[in-house]
Amino acid sequence: MGRSASFVTREEIRSARAASLYDYLSSNHSDLFRRSGRCLYMKDHDSVYIKDGFPGYNDFSTGSHGNPVDFLTRYLNYGFVEAVNALNYGGSVKDAWHGPGSFRRAAPERASGIVLP
């Protein structure tokens, strides 16, 4: 039985919020950022700062900050479920992502732990 692309578990959400945003963006969206040492800055919003080893971002122009899911939904227009799946299973997301809101990759199938008679 396939897994619905519109559903994520609490554990998947927790895992995505703790994921390395720096690594994800370096691998999948490097063209949108400039690198300075161990930090990334958005080319379009240079006040947005992502530091290697820190699971989140800071926007110095607005004072806002957040976790990786917040960043993908606010700045790259991912949907919430899309962001969670991308951060957890997004090894090849760059090939599947064709612009804001276009990511439609289902997470890999996994056992649910429910046994039906």
Side-chain angles (χ1 to χ4, degrees), residues 6-107:
S6 63
F7 174 79
V8 291
T9 65
R10 287 183 186 187
E11 185 54 41
E12 288 172 318
I13 294 167
R14 280 188 216 107
S15 177
R17 287 180 175 158
S20 173
L21 182 59
Y22 180 92
D23 290 342
Y24 177 77
L25 295 173
S26 293
S27 297
N28 296 288
H29 297 292
S30 61
D31 56 321
L32 301 176
F33 297 87
R34 69 177 176 82
R35 189 180 314 259
S36 177
R38 295 181 62 192
C39 301
L40 296 174
Y41 295 90
M42 287 191 79
K43 289 179 180 176
D44 293 343
H45 306 283
D46 63 356
S47 63
V48 178
Y49 168 84
I50 296 111
K51 184 176 181 182
D52 188 15
F54 178 75
Y57 74 95
N58 285 307
D59 185 339
F60 293 111
S61 67
T62 64
S64 64
H65 53 64
N67 61 56
V69 175
D70 295 336
F71 181 84
L72 293 182
T73 57
R74 289 181 186 156
Y75 293 95
L76 297 184
N77 297 321
Y78 279 65
F80 179 78
V81 172
E82 295 168 334
V84 170
N85 284 332
L87 290 161
N88 284 321
Y89 310 109
S92 62
V93 172
K94 184 175 185 176
D95 297 330
W97 193 81
H98 301 291
S102 68
F103 178 68
R104 298 284 181 254
R105 181 173 170 265

